[in-house]
Amino acid sequence: MSNTNASAGATRSPRKAALASWIGSAVEYYDFFIYGTAAALVFNKIFFPSFDPKTGTIAAFATFGVGYVTRPLGAVVLGHIGDKFGRKRVLTFTLLLMGLSTFLVGLLPTYDAIGIFAPILLVVLRMLQGVSASGEQAGANSMTLEHAPAHRRAFFTSFTLSGTQAGLILATMVYLPISAMPEADMLSWGWRVPFLLSAVVVAVGFWVRRTLPETPAFEEESRAKKQSKLPIATLFREQRASVLRVIFAALVSVVSTIFSVFTLSYAVNTAHIPKPTMLNVLVFANIIALAAIPAWATLADRIGRKPVFIFGALGSAALIWPYIWAISRGDITLIWVFGLLLSGVVYSAANGVWPALYGEMFDTRVRLSGMAIGTQIGFALGGFAPTISAALMGTGPNGWMPVAAFTTATSLIAAISAATARETYRVPMHELGQSGETRQATVGGSLKA
């Protein structure tokens, strides 16, 4: 009877961990993406009204990017806590911090009310969002990876990214009625509604995560007292090459922020395409991604992480060109075709597989630190990609080309970095993160024993 119960518990834990990661990521990235949408559509007018339109847009995008500045620092701190004291503590903290900082953005007075203090407070709250996001995905990925069956690690970890897509869908759908409001109403109070609603989604996420057990791999490390006293020191002493690989591979995230933030602003403000049209493209692309991400992850469990990720990065590098070209022409049909293909299908290959690809580069002692630090440094460029792109943007019908070239370059770097990594889809959990010499020593010791 006890064996039956244990078996049932072992079956439920991966599913429960995947569900908790999915919902937690949806909550976190609902909060994170409503900020990006507001930066693209609203913040230049209510927090930077004294600037000319282009400079105001750059400033608004810069506040979006600031959230990525604090991510590496948050990754160091939260990675240490997660690797030393457990994944669950990190996941509870990140959820509450994101919810509070997002809710407070919705209460901020604008520039007309308090002048320069309005954008300053906006930046402070955005930085707190960044600290939260720095530990959320790495914590959720570590939690799910360490609960997952050995032959389905990519599939179960992909739920973290499916949750991210769900958060983006929810955030965009909330903005659809807001964007249809008269501009005066949207600028005075409508933009606040999505931020204030974050209190509800955070409560849901906290309720789901409250009973999630710690991972078997971490508990085994705890019982054996194998945790590192200073995980970050161990990480950079033993696995710094893996950190560098993750940093460069994570540059593929530029595709996401260019697609969801920059092209939204470009389409609405430069190409004069209606806001609801572009928001609908975002929603449907991410609905497709909800199915595509676990499908690509399932393939990665069968043929390996690297080929799937590299396909996603190279495909995105190519498709960004026709997508922005279609926007520049105002061709709604082609915007839908290339938008759904780029973000919904092809980018999902890289996006759905990286949780397993990155997480399997590290051993349990430093997994959360390695993933958090590596991804957040790489994601920092993704966060500033809309700002960089706004500055690169030229004039005339071909002014978008430098933006497409920038996106392609970062995707190529990501593909090359992933190609240098070890293929791990058949590697047992206890051998993840080990060098060749360490693996040989482990096998030799086992044979002698």
Side-chain angles (χ1 to χ4, degrees), residues 305-377:
R305 285 62 167 119
K306 291 169 58 175
V308 177
F309 180 93
I310 291 169
F311 167 78
L314 295 180
S316 298
L319 284 170
I320 192 67
W321 292 84
Y323 178 61
I324 305 182
W325 170 78
I327 293 174
S328 72
R329 290 171 54 88
D331 190 321
I332 303 301
T333 300
L334 291 180
I335 288 172
W336 276 94
V337 170
F338 289 119
L340 299 186
L341 186 60
L342 168 61
S343 183
V345 179
V346 175
Y347 178 69
S348 294
N351 204 31
V353 172
W354 74 252
L357 175 67
Y358 302 169
E360 291 173 353
M361 292 185 191
F362 304 99
D363 64 42
T364 304
R365 296 173 304 155
V366 297
R367 178 166 295 118
L368 206 155
S369 295
M371 289 190 71
I373 293 170
T375 55
Q376 299 317 314
I377 293 175

Side-chain angles (χ1 to χ4, degrees), residues 125-143:
L125 292 175
R126 179 60 175 172
M127 292 172 75
L128 291 177
Q129 279 191 327
V131 170
S132 172
S134 69
E136 168 60 31
Q137 279 191 335
N141 290 339
S142 298
M143 175 73 76

Side-chain angles (χ1 to χ4, degrees), residues 50-390:
S50 61
F51 296 146
D52 65 83
K54 180 174 181 177
T55 305
T57 298
I58 293 174
F61 282 157
T63 68
F64 177 80
V66 162
Y68 290 80
V69 171
T70 53
R71 281 184 168 208
L73 176 61
V76 171
V77 175
L78 296 177
H80 173 85
I81 294 171
D83 284 328
K84 195 169 180 65
F85 302 105
R87 286 51 167 129
K88 186 175 179 179
R89 294 189 185 188
V90 169
L91 293 176
T92 301
F93 174 78
T94 57
L95 194 65
L96 295 177
L97 180 61
M98 179 65 83
L100 177 62
S101 54
T102 303
F103 184 80
L104 291 177
V105 169
L107 299 178
L108 281 180
T110 63
Y111 185 92
D112 288 341
I114 60 171
I116 192 64
F117 290 105
I120 290 174
L121 290 173
L122 180 67
V123 167
V124 170
L125 292 175
R126 179 60 175 172
M127 292 172 75
L128 291 177
Q129 279 191 327
V131 170
S132 172
S134 69
E136 168 60 31
Q137 279 191 335
N141 290 339
S142 298
M143 175 73 76
T144 310
L145 181 72
E146 293 168 5
H147 272 297
H151 62 291
R152 302 194 74 193
R153 293 194 299 243
F155 173 76
F156 277 100
T157 55
S158 74
F159 279 82
T160 305
L161 270 297
S162 294
T164 300
Q165 305 308 119
L168 199 155
I169 292 169
L170 182 59
T172 308
M173 290 183 69
V174 168
Y175 260 103
L176 280 171
I178 302 297
S179 67
M181 296 173 63
E183 183 162 326
D185 291 337
M186 182 176 72
L187 296 179
S188 63
W189 61 270
W191 70 271
R192 300 180 184 276
V193 173
F195 291 90
L196 299 178
L197 287 176
S198 67
V200 177
V201 290
V202 167
V204 173
F206 183 77
W207 178 78
V208 170
R209 281 188 173 174
R210 76 194 192 286
T211 59
L212 185 65
E214 192 52 79
T215 73
F218 182 82
E219 288 183 336
E220 182 179 342
E221 295 279 325
S222 298
R223 286 192 298 269
K225 301 187 184 300
K226 291 182 179 179
Q227 294 119 309
S228 174
K229 292 182 179 179
L230 191 60
I232 190 173
T234 303
L235 175 69
F236 283 101
R237 183 175 64 249
E238 299 179 8
Q239 296 182 244
R240 58 182 173 271
S242 294
V243 176
L244 289 174
R245 285 191 183 94
V246 172
I247 289 172
F248 290 116
L251 295 181
V252 76
S253 65
V254 168
V255 175
S256 176
T257 50
I258 291 296
F259 182 83
S260 62
V261 179
F262 172 78
T263 58
L264 175 61
S265 175
Y266 173 59
V268 172
N269 299 322
T270 303
H272 305 295
I273 297 169
K275 288 191 289 289
T277 298
M278 294 306 299
L279 290 173
N280 276 314
V281 171
L282 286 176
V283 168
F284 281 93
N286 284 283
I287 289 174
I288 292 173
L290 283 177
I293 283 173
W296 287 117
T298 299
L299 181 64
D301 278 327
R302 295 179 180 177
I303 69 170
R305 285 62 167 119
K306 291 169 58 175
V308 177
F309 180 93
I310 291 169
F311 167 78
L314 295 180
S316 298
L319 284 170
I320 192 67
W321 292 84
Y323 178 61
I324 305 182
W325 170 78
I327 293 174
S328 72
R329 290 171 54 88
D331 190 321
I332 303 301
T333 300
L334 291 180
I335 288 172
W336 276 94
V337 170
F338 289 119
L340 299 186
L341 186 60
L342 168 61
S343 183
V345 179
V346 175
Y347 178 69
S348 294
N351 204 31
V353 172
W354 74 252
L357 175 67
Y358 302 169
E360 291 173 353
M361 292 185 191
F362 304 99
D363 64 42
T364 304
R365 296 173 304 155
V366 297
R367 178 166 295 118
L368 206 155
S369 295
M371 289 190 71
I373 293 170
T375 55
Q376 299 317 314
I377 293 175
F379 287 168
L381 181 58
F384 279 103
T387 310
I388 295 170
S389 297

